[in-house]
Amino acid sequence: MIFGRSERGKGPVEPVTLKILVAGGFGVGKTTLVGAVSEIRPLRTEEVLSEAGRPVDDTQGVEGKHTTTVAMDFGRITLRKDLVLYLFGTPGQDRFWFLWDELATGALGAVVLADTRRLEDCFAAVDYFERRSIPFVVGVNCFEGAARYPAESVRRALDLDAQVPVVLCDARDKESVKDVLIGVVEHAAQAAARRRQPAAT
Ligand SMILES: Nc1nc2c(ncn2[C@@H]2O[C@H](COP(=O)(O)OP(=O)(O)OP(=O)(O)O)[C@@H](O)[C@H]2O)c(=O)[nH]1
Ligand SMILES: [Mg+2]
């Protein structure tokens, strides 16, 4: 259908689309998180964990895990009708670090997923986003059987800035994941506002 000039601009508002990265250590639940909220069938790049990878792929704590992400996960969620998030889950294993800069280009912000049984696995992701000033939220994925720690203990253990939100979550639960993603968007908006503010004299 062809619209005349007067009809132009009256159609539905084009939503703002934002890119969010989902990062964190091996087997912390990144693919699970993207799958839990995505309204499209998530693109996955899973490969079966191989015998050859056994010495380097530490599956301790995720013994039921048989596959790993080798390139990325991709999903989409409409938070509001004018706000759509594209989610990019990063590969968790160190040997895929070379992909991170490609994935991070143009990202508004990130979720760093953490498992309190293996907190050190997310140090590298935290460092990565801090160094590039990409706003991020730490999502503590509360696996059954893992001890529960208050968000403040996790913040101290990760030596995070006071503004970085730490949220307890369940990567399998859509509403829980939505809360984390809203946290990223709000945190990124606040960080942008702080950057715009003229320095105090
Ligand atoms: N109990 C429990 N299991 C979870 C949770 N999140 C993920 N899992 C399980 O943990 C395993 C790892 O999840 P994935 O989503 O593949 O982890 P990942 O971070 O994408 O892993 P890599 O891409 O290999 O780094 C899977 O067997 C999931 O079913 C959770 O919140 N609770
Ligand atoms: Mg994965």
Side-chain angles (χ1 to χ4, degrees):
M1 188 193 292
I2 299 172
F3 291 106
R5 273 168 66 89
S6 58
E7 277 122 332
R8 247 193 251 152
K10 287 190 180 164
V13 182
E14 278 290 308
V16 172
T17 58
L18 302 172
K19 176 178 180 180
I20 307 279
L21 292 188
V22 181
F26 174 59
V28 76
K30 301 175 294 291
T31 300
T32 306
L33 182 150
V34 173
V37 286
S38 184
E39 61 208 6
I40 53 172
R41 194 156 65 89
L43 168 75
R44 291 185 173 153
T45 58
E46 295 292 286
E47 289 292 341
V48 175
L49 282 165
S50 65
E51 199 55 40
R54 200 182 283 274
V56 279
D57 300 340
D58 178 10
T59 53
Q60 205 185 348
V62 280
E63 285 80 4
K65 186 168 166 62
H66 302 296
T67 63
T68 189
T69 304
V70 293
M72 64 168 190
D73 302 301
F74 175 71
R76 186 189 72 198
I77 174 172
T78 306
L79 275 190
R80 291 191 318 240
K81 67 175 189 309
D82 57 348
L83 180 59
V84 172
L85 303 186
Y86 285 108
L87 304 177
F88 290 77
T90 58
Q93 298 179 75
D94 301 345
R95 59 177 187 267
F96 299 116
W97 267 102
F98 66 94
L99 287 168
W100 277 56
D101 289 336
E102 287 295 326
L103 288 175
T105 306
L108 171 90
V111 179
V112 175
L113 266 186
D115 175 355
T116 54
R117 295 167 300 180
R118 308 181 295 151
L119 209 50
E120 63 283 1
D121 288 7
C122 74
F123 289 176
V126 167
D127 283 349
Y128 183 92
F129 296 122
E130 278 181 347
R131 231 174 278 143
R132 286 164 182 79
S133 302
I134 296 175
F136 65 96
V137 166
V138 172
V140 181
N141 192 15
C142 299
F143 285 83
E144 296 95 17
R148 298 291 153 104
Y149 296 95
E152 277 318 302
S153 309
V154 175
R155 175 191 307 288
R156 268 198 307 278
L158 292 177
D159 194 20
L160 298 173
D161 281 352
Q163 316 92 297
V164 177
V166 177
V167 193
L168 305 184
C169 68
D170 183 335
R172 300 162 302 176
D173 182 273
K174 185 174 181 172
E175 292 308 313
S176 172
V177 172
K178 259 187 169 177
D179 286 343
V180 177
L181 295 173
I182 291 168
V184 177
V185 175
E186 287 178 350
H187 177 54
Q190 283 159 6
R194 270 197 301 276
R195 274 199 301 273
R196 275 199 303 272
Q197 250 169 26
T201 47

